[in-house]
Amino acid sequence: MTIETSLDDRTFTKHESEVRSYCRDWPAVFDTAQGSWLTDVDGNRYLDFFAGAGALNYGHNNPVLKEALLEYIARDGITHGLDMSTRAKGEFLETFAAKILEPRGLDYKIQFPGPTGTNAVEAALKLARKVTGREAIINFTNAFHGMTLGSLAVTGNSMKRSGAGIPLVHATPMPFDNYFDGVVEDFNWFERVLDDSGSGFNRPAAVIVETVQGEGGVNVARAEWLRGLADLCKRKDLLLIVDDVQMGCGRTGDFFSFEEAGIVPDIVTLSKSIGGYGLPMALTLFKPELDVWEPGEHNGTFRGNNPAFVTATEAIKKYWSDDKLSVQVKAKGMEIAQAFDAICARHEGVSHRGRGMAQGLVFEKAELADRTCEIAFGKGLLAETSGPNSEVVKLLPPLTLTSEELAQGMAILSESVDEAIKETNA
């Protein structure tokens, strides 16, 4: 059934702020979605390799999660609960502990800091400072941790940082893995300034790191680099925070992206796909000995989004009661990498990197990434760019997409790269 509408781009340009961004790259008015597909008001369908910036790992309107949500709403289950004890929250806590934490030998307290990833990061930074009594935080080049002031202070992107309007202090960037192309020994500068009383470097409370920098350009930290970082933090009495907002919940294959490295962070942040259905939800996890909060010392009106607890619980039961999804994600990630190999073999100045189903196609001529995504949109595929110069086509398809959908999307992307490069060479 087609619903007539008078909506077009003028509605949004007239009323909505200039801050809008994704709609500029994808000039369509979207209406419905199912699985790996979006449909606009004109009936055009688009294969979604963006998945809500990683918030829809299980696809749009996943039927298993939708059924649980509709049943909860129909029986008048609590929607807004602050941090009150509710049945929905209790069932989530029990399920998360039993199916996620305990099988991995992880002992974390769980905090609900607010609805988004930046809320989880702000809570992590505040807690680290409270526990250690120190102010400084170490972050990494090309990091992205959120848009509120504390998160921006540990973010690398200059455009996003400039939006703060004030100095962003108490954070010091260090080079991420392979920042110097292997020329400088990892952590050489970091450890030296920590130990040098003449460095002018305030002893930090914590280090915050992404195992794969999504917004930074799909930069992948090697397992040995992460182990080296964890060891350095332990030796120097620094708390290690892993920001798993985008790369957690199975995006790299394992539920937590740090599992491959065999490390146990002191603090972990989760959001995006932890709610399962795309409903706002975030967690800050930390070792029990770090739970020094006073009641109400860190809170938020929407930290008790009970419908998200319901869909999160159902997602964990459905997809994390065994390792089937994890195995599939790793296999599909290899398929994407193989398709990228073929593209790179045809064209100079194109390379790729990634882990699991977070994959990036890197262009030496940065403008080709934007043009590739523009052409792909015209062919019915949503993909975004990332990196400091938007030089990377970043793929974050739903983890649940079919093999046929994956092949279809990679074929569109391959054609789009060919066309973008042909235009440039014409």
Side-chain angles (χ1 to χ4, degrees):
M1 173 178 164
T2 303
I3 300 174
E4 292 187 6
T5 176
S6 60
L7 288 176
D8 60 24
D9 191 56
R10 287 171 295 182
T11 299
F12 304 95
T13 57
K14 178 180 180 180
H15 299 290
E16 192 179 0
S17 165
E18 291 297 317
V19 78
R20 64 193 186 282
S21 59
Y22 291 116
C23 59
R24 299 177 188 272
D25 296 325
W26 303 324
V29 179
F30 297 103
D31 184 32
T32 62
Q34 173 60 55
S36 304
W37 295 87
L38 286 155
T39 304
D40 69 17
V41 293
D42 296 317
N44 300 308
R45 299 179 76 229
Y46 300 85
L47 186 53
D48 188 2
F49 272 31
F50 172 67
L56 296 164
N57 281 5
Y58 313 111
H60 294 271
N61 288 302
N62 184 295
V64 175
L65 310 187
K66 180 165 63 175
E67 182 179 359
L69 179 60
L70 291 174
E71 179 183 332
Y72 184 77
I73 293 171
R75 72 171 184 82
D76 290 331
I78 295 288
T79 295
H80 181 272
L82 293 160
D83 68 356
M84 294 184 291
S85 298
T86 65
R87 175 179 172 179
K89 185 203 286 189
E91 290 178 351
F92 169 76
L93 288 168
E94 289 181 344
T95 303
F96 188 79
K99 294 188 178 295
I100 302 300
L101 298 182
E102 292 170 12
R104 293 163 177 79
L106 298 173
D107 183 15
Y108 287 132
K109 296 295 286 292
I110 302 169
Q111 180 181 356
F112 302 98
T116 71
T118 197
N119 297 124
V121 170
E122 294 283 358
L125 299 177
K126 187 189 291 188
L127 181 61
R129 288 169 170 140
K130 180 176 174 65
V131 167
T132 63
R134 307 176 208 139
E135 296 178 351
I137 303 290
I138 298 296
N139 61 307
F140 289 94
T141 51
N142 291 314
F144 178 80
H145 296 288
M147 297 296 283
T148 50
L149 290 181
S151 300
L152 271 179
V154 291
T155 286
N157 186 285
S158 60
M159 183 272 286
K160 292 179 172 63
R161 288 175 62 88
S162 67
I166 61 171
L168 297 170
V169 296
H170 306 308
T172 302
M174 291 292 167
F176 191 72
D177 190 14
N178 204 39
Y179 186 74
F180 292 115
D181 297 321
V183 175
V184 177
E185 183 182 353
D186 291 329
F187 310 124
N188 182 43
W189 169 248
F190 187 0
E191 189 154 9
R192 182 165 181 176
V193 294
L194 279 173
D195 293 335
D196 184 359
S197 61
S199 68
F201 188 62
N202 292 332
R203 189 159 195 83
V207 175
I208 185 167
V209 67
E210 302 155 277
T211 64
V212 180
Q213 295 180 326
E215 296 300 312
V218 196
N219 305 310
V220 181
R222 294 165 297 151
E224 56 267 33
W225 187 87
L226 291 168
R227 286 192 289 270
L229 178 62
D231 177 68
L232 177 60
C233 288
K234 185 175 182 180
R235 287 187 288 108
K236 300 300 181 181
D237 189 31
L238 310 177
L239 295 177
L240 176 60
I241 304 169
V242 168
D243 181 343
D244 238 1
V245 167
Q246 188 167 83
M247 295 301 156
C249 303
R251 175 55 55 182
T252 64
D254 301 311
F255 185 85
F256 294 108
S257 69
F258 56 81
E259 291 182 54
E260 180 185 78
I263 64 173
V264 180
D266 298 292
I267 304 174
V268 180
T269 62
L270 288 174
S271 186
K272 291 191 181 286
S273 280
I274 188 60
Y277 199 72
L279 299 176
M281 179 175 169
L283 306 178
T284 304
L285 314 177
F286 41 85
K287 294 179 177 179
E289 61 269 25
L290 304 180
D291 194 9
V292 297
W293 291 118
E294 295 290 334
E297 189 174 11
H298 186 91
N299 57 28
T301 303
F302 293 100
R303 65 193 184 279
N305 184 359
N306 283 258
F309 297 152
V310 172
T311 52
T313 299
E314 202 65 27
I316 292 169
K317 289 179 178 178
K318 170 68 176 176
Y319 295 105
W320 297 102
S321 293
D322 55 37
D323 67 350
K324 289 181 182 178
L325 180 65
S326 180
V327 170
Q328 291 172 7
V329 169
K330 293 175 183 178
K332 289 173 184 174
M334 291 180 65
E335 290 180 36
I336 296 172
Q338 288 168 359
F340 278 171
D341 279 339
I343 294 172
C344 295
R346 293 199 306 273
H347 302 292
E348 292 185 4
V350 185
S351 60
H352 70 91
R353 54 189 179 232
R355 262 184 68 198
M357 290 178 71
Q359 297 284 336
L361 193 62
V362 188
F363 293 86
E364 288 183 6
K365 294 182 179 178
E367 65 273 12
L368 286 173
D370 276 325
R371 182 57 182 146
T372 294
C373 289
E374 183 180 5
I375 294 171
F377 175 76
K379 296 177 180 291
L381 179 74
L382 299 187
E384 70 164 335
T385 62
S386 69
N389 299 303
S390 297
E391 74 277 16
V392 180
V393 174
K394 181 175 71 172
L395 301 188
L396 297 174
L399 308 184
T400 52
L401 90 169
T402 66
S403 296
E404 293 76 19
E405 289 169 339
L406 178 57
Q408 182 178 350
M410 296 311 296
I412 292 173
L413 187 66
S414 179
E415 293 171 4
S416 301
V417 173
D418 292 346
E419 290 185 23
I421 291 177
K422 185 177 180 180
E423 287 178 1
T424 302
N425 295 334

